[in-house]
Amino acid sequence: MARSAVRALPNPKTTPFTFGYLVVLLGTTLVLRFADPVVTAKLLQLSSTDAHNLWRRPLTSLLTSALWLADGGWLVYAIIFAIAIAPLERRFGPGRTALVFFSGHVLATLVTEVPVMALISGGLLPMTAGRWLDIGVSYGFFTTLGALVFLLRGRARIVALVGVELFIATIWVSDSPESLDSVVTVLGHLCAAHFGFFYWGPRLTRPPAPAPA
């Protein structure tokens, strides 16, 4: 039992993407903990996928926003990665897992922030709405979780999907549900989870096409 539990943990041999990503997140968490607050504030500002950054530096913010943890709770995310990302990687490999993760991160970010950009341009939202801090790995995590839920069968799949949606709703209610950033975030979480379930789930489980004769 102990050996199987150890093998289930992310490690560089069986789950290189999950393990490597956790190492990177540990490094950035230590930077936030011990570096000059002025420097870290500037790094987070440049990495945020808010509407202002997506308009001025879209590639930089999309690539770097998923390298930081907003709350610094690395151990919590290590457990989350072990539960929701490592199992997907063991079954489908690091390349496909990384594709699922980052495609969900990018899609959910654009789906939620592009309307904010449009509303700001139309004068329906103030300019300050485009400068809230938007960093973290939650969109990628919920995409892989949605794909993992699709691997379940029958009633268990539906129950797990509803459980994910209730989890997302709980996160939203426990935050500041009336604020714009909370609304944007919960919509991003829902988009990511359902993107993983409805798009990636069927594609990951689809049998490979036969090789040409």
Side-chain angles (χ1 to χ4, degrees):
M1 179 69 69
R3 289 183 178 180
S4 62
V6 171
R7 285 197 297 267
L9 295 174
N11 64 78
K13 186 175 182 180
T14 60
T15 55
F17 169 72
T18 306
F19 181 84
Y21 205 162
L22 284 173
V23 170
V24 171
L25 291 175
L26 177 60
T28 57
T29 299
L30 293 175
V31 169
L32 292 179
R33 179 74 178 272
F34 297 107
D36 187 337
V38 176
V39 175
T40 58
K42 184 64 175 178
L43 289 173
L44 294 180
Q45 182 184 4
L46 292 174
S47 300
S48 175
T49 47
D50 54 64
H52 175 76
N53 270 353
L54 285 177
W55 182 262
R56 298 188 62 184
R57 50 182 81 88
L59 290 180
T60 300
S61 59
L62 283 171
L63 290 174
T64 59
S65 61
L67 301 180
W68 306 92
L69 298 176
D71 53 7
W74 182 85
L75 285 176
V76 174
Y77 281 94
I79 297 172
I80 289 173
F81 273 48
I83 294 174
I85 299 179
L88 200 72
E89 184 175 6
R90 291 190 192 94
R91 179 161 180 176
F92 299 106
R96 298 176 81 181
T97 303
L99 181 60
V100 172
F101 185 96
F102 288 112
S103 65
H105 171 72
V106 172
L107 178 71
T109 298
L110 294 178
V111 166
T112 53
E113 289 294 344
V114 169
V116 174
M117 294 167 63
L119 292 173
I120 293 174
S121 299
L124 299 177
L125 284 177
M127 293 297 296
T128 55
R131 292 181 179 272
W132 64 284
L133 186 64
D134 186 15
I135 57 172
V137 300
S138 60
Y139 291 168
F141 155 68
F142 276 114
T143 305
T144 57
L145 183 60
L148 199 62
V149 166
F150 189 88
L151 301 182
L152 301 174
R153 300 295 181 185
R155 185 176 299 177
R157 178 190 292 178
I158 303 301
V159 171
L161 181 61
V162 173
V164 171
E165 293 170 340
L166 291 176
F167 178 46
I168 293 172
T170 302
I171 295 174
W172 175 50
V173 172
S174 63
D175 197 5
S176 302
E178 74 284 351
S179 64
L180 175 64
D181 56 341
S182 289
V183 173
V184 170
T185 300
V186 71
L187 292 177
H189 288 165
L190 289 170
C191 173
H194 290 86
F195 177 60
F197 184 86
F198 289 108
Y199 181 84
W200 279 117
R203 282 159 178 78
L204 290 175
T205 55
R206 182 181 300 166

